[in-house]
């Protein structure tokens, strides 16, 4: 378990020390943050919070997952990065 937390230098999010445990975001098998889903009218909004710096390419990777989620829901999905 500790290996997946090396990028954020803190495994508390994996071991239960943080509410992220239910909504984790991984890139290349490493924990990089978390996400929350909320509904705004007919649109589902995914708020993503990075716990470590991400490259522009890494920030684009979740977009594919957002498209898959939109297809599953049959509704639009908007992804927003928390600051």
């Amino acid at each position: 378990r500790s290996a997946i937390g090396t990028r954020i230098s803190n495994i508390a999010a994996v071991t239960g020390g943080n509410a992220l445990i239910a909504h984790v975001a991984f890139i290349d098998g490493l924990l990089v943050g978390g996400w929350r889903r909320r509904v705004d009218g007919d649109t589902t909004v995914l708020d993503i919070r990075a716990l470590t710096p991400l490259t522009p390419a890494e920030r684009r990777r979740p977009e594919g997952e957002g498209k898959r989620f939109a297809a599953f829901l049959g509704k639009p999905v908007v992804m927003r990065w928390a600051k």
Side-chain angles (χ1 to χ4, degrees), residues 2-81:
S2 62
I4 64 173
T6 57
R7 185 141 176 208
I8 62 169
S9 302
N10 182 351
I11 62 168
V14 179
T15 60
N18 188 314
L20 278 175
I21 196 75
H23 301 94
V24 294
F26 289 93
I27 292 180
D28 294 332
L30 297 175
L31 179 66
V32 296
W35 62 275
R36 292 282 183 225
R37 174 185 57 109
R38 61 186 170 88
V39 177
D40 185 6
D42 193 41
T43 301
T44 297
V45 179
L46 299 180
D47 294 309
I48 305 169
R49 182 172 53 124
L51 298 175
T52 187
L54 301 177
T55 67
E58 289 173 327
R59 289 177 77 89
R60 287 190 299 272
R61 290 177 74 177
E63 292 174 10
E65 298 304 320
K67 290 176 184 176
R68 288 180 40 187
F69 193 44
F72 171 76
L73 295 174
K75 296 183 177 185
V77 170
V78 174
M79 300 180 75
R80 297 202 175 121
W81 288 90

